[in-house]
Amino acid sequence: MIDFTLTDEQREFRDMAHKFAEKTIRPVAPEADEKEEVPWEVLEKAHQAGLITYSLPERYGGGGVDSVLTKAIVDEELFWGCAGIATIMGGAALAATPILLAGTEEQKMKYVSRLCEPSRGGSGSRPTLGAYALTEPGAGSDPAGMITNARREKGKYILNGYKTFITNAGLADVYVVFATVDPSRGTDGITAFIVEKDWRGVQPGKKEKKMGIRASHTAAISFEDVEVPVDNRLGEEGEGFKIAMKTFDITRSHIAAGALGVARAAYEYALGYAHERRQFGKPIFSFQSIAFMLAEMAMNIDAARLLTWRAAWLYDNNLSCTTEASMAKAFAADVAMKTTTDAVQILGGYGYIREYPVEKWMRDAKIMQIYEGTAQIQRLVISRRLKP
């Protein structure tokens, strides 16, 4: 039996996330975007509210909500508030996910608990952040081209390399880093490691100036002869690619939900504007050309939500969801881009001005077609799994 009824817990989390997005995130989002600065006070409030760690297990200090569908519902609301701020907030769960999937109990207790620990006191109070370091200048869509390497020496690995476009790089306390132990093995040589920010040789690089999600901190990070204990390897040697792909089965549903939140924000604003803006003596919504654009927005957003919920539900029920997660991510990202572009069009000249929020949502939407696997990579994943 198919049932689209949310549980009491899901409704409670949705309402809490929406209220936080409306009252705490949205008021600071324009300034954070303009200044390209991380709004630490918002992150601190989010941490106190449990919105950063609610999806991590209770035994490590999290909220114990293990449903990917519930997290997708929450992510839609947070990204509705601001995609940049929501991206930073997701860093802890993103770093924790591969540790929870492949880590030992000792690794989980040490590092997932660290991501859940209370914020540091004082004027610089902020929550503990995590980062997921996979992408390199020459290895984005093709992990086999990875050159960051780990050489084993007795009870440790010597890590050398360079990662780029990493969310929270330089701010994170805990990194999950992917490196090859044997470049000749391609993806079979990729291995995952947990790296701490204060270790000698861990060097944050240049912060990127981005078109969208400008409140989030995206930067490079390098590793120069970093000594990583064998105990900090995730899984066995060569299992890193598999760990990354399993992580994507979860995170692609979350990115789809984030794209959905951005699209919904733009749609709601454009709909309200179309009912208020008058031309030729009547609201522009009365013109079919505008009304049909809004009808298509509503239709596509609903379809994206159903795809996202299906992928998340499949994962929650221990069913294969790789294809479905890629479908949801690709479709929702495309919907976000089209919806925000059309919202700018509906507002006309006002839509192109920063005083109105739709141009920000349009800039934010573009990254949804790029990170966590580009729109083209999603279609590659889907096409390879199609059977006659």
Side-chain angles (χ1 to χ4, degrees):
M1 175 67 71
I2 296 174
D3 187 356
F4 298 104
T5 304
L6 301 184
T7 66
D8 290 342
E9 180 183 64
Q10 288 168 337
R11 285 195 297 270
E12 180 181 344
F13 271 99
R14 180 197 61 192
D15 295 345
M16 178 178 69
H18 183 80
K19 182 178 179 180
F20 186 87
E22 182 180 35
K23 303 297 184 182
T24 306
I25 294 179
R26 279 202 168 182
V28 305
E31 183 178 3
D33 176 76
E34 182 68 27
K35 294 183 177 180
E36 302 188 43
E37 293 179 350
V38 174
W40 288 108
E41 70 283 358
V42 173
L43 298 185
E44 172 61 15
K45 291 176 182 177
H47 185 67
Q48 292 174 355
L51 285 169
I52 292 180
T53 59
Y54 72 93
S55 63
L56 304 181
E58 283 185 297
R59 64 181 177 276
Y60 308 125
V65 178
D66 61 355
S67 167
V68 174
L69 177 54
T70 300
K71 192 170 190 308
I73 291 166
V74 170
D75 281 343
E76 178 181 340
E77 301 305 325
L78 296 178
F79 276 74
W80 176 90
C82 175
I85 296 172
T87 295
I88 312 171
M89 291 172 61
L94 178 58
T97 297
I99 300 174
L100 291 169
L101 286 172
T104 64
E105 182 58 31
E106 290 76 17
Q107 289 171 336
K108 295 173 186 177
M109 185 60 68
K110 182 176 181 179
Y111 290 106
V112 179
S113 296
R114 186 172 173 183
L115 291 168
C116 295
E117 67 187 11
S119 300
R120 303 161 188 173
S123 59
S125 179
R126 68 173 181 85
T128 301
L129 297 178
Y132 183 88
L134 176 65
T135 302
E136 298 182 7
S141 297
D142 178 19
M146 184 177 296
I147 61 174
T148 296
N149 62 88
R151 183 182 75 256
R152 184 161 182 171
E153 289 186 359
K154 298 181 180 179
K156 61 189 176 184
Y157 288 87
I158 307 301
L159 180 67
N160 283 281
Y162 184 85
K163 299 292 183 178
T164 191
F165 304 147
I166 306 303
T167 297
N168 294 344
L171 303 180
D173 301 272
V174 177
Y175 294 83
V176 173
V177 181
F178 294 84
T180 181
V181 295
D182 184 354
S184 69
R185 292 169 56 189
T187 56
D188 289 337
I190 296 174
T191 305
F193 301 91
I194 306 171
V195 176
E196 300 185 23
K197 73 163 189 176
D198 293 327
W199 288 354
R200 186 163 57 93
V202 178
Q203 296 293 332
K206 181 189 72 171
K207 177 188 174 184
E208 304 294 349
K209 296 182 70 67
K210 307 187 297 295
M211 177 172 73
I213 59 168
R214 291 166 57 174
S216 70
H217 186 98
T218 306
I221 188 163
S222 63
F223 307 94
E224 184 175 351
D225 292 332
V226 178
E227 296 185 1
V228 183
V230 171
D231 288 345
N232 276 51
R233 185 188 66 211
L234 275 178
E236 299 299 324
E237 286 191 2
E239 290 185 346
F241 183 73
K242 180 174 67 175
I243 293 169
M245 294 304 102
K246 286 184 177 180
T247 300
F248 285 148
D249 281 348
I250 300 173
T251 60
R252 282 174 177 162
S253 292
H254 299 159
I255 298 302
L260 180 58
V262 174
R264 198 185 95 214
Y267 159 72
E268 290 173 355
Y269 195 94
L271 179 62
Y273 180 89
H275 279 280
E276 295 174 2
R277 174 69 167 169
R278 300 181 67 85
Q279 291 286 277
F280 306 103
K282 51 187 176 181
I284 62 173
F285 184 79
S286 65
F287 298 106
Q288 188 179 83
S289 57
I290 301 297
F292 277 18
M293 288 174 71
L294 288 159
E296 186 174 8
M297 289 181 188
M299 179 172 59
N300 285 335
I301 288 170
D302 209 28
R305 183 178 292 110
L306 292 174
L307 281 173
T308 301
W309 284 12
R310 179 184 67 166
W313 180 89
L314 287 170
Y315 189 92
D316 285 345
N317 284 272
N318 298 313
L319 298 170
S320 175
C321 65
T322 299
T323 302
E324 291 79 6
S326 285
M327 286 180 173
K329 198 272 185 185
F331 187 81
D334 289 349
V335 166
M337 195 69 248
K338 185 176 190 322
T339 300
T340 55
T341 301
D342 285 350
V344 170
Q345 189 69 25
I346 289 172
L347 267 71
Y350 292 112
Y352 202 67
I353 295 173
R354 288 192 179 184
E355 182 180 350
Y356 292 80
V358 289
E359 66 86 26
K360 174 188 180 300
W361 292 324
M362 181 179 174
R363 289 187 285 107
D364 288 345
K366 187 58 194 174
I367 194 62
M368 307 299 168
Q369 294 178 313
I370 299 172
Y371 67 2
E372 299 285 336
T374 65
Q376 289 69 37
I377 285 295
Q378 303 311 315
R379 285 162 172 79
L380 179 64
V381 170
I382 296 164
S383 64
R384 284 180 172 177
R385 297 174 71 87
L386 298 178
K387 303 297 181 184

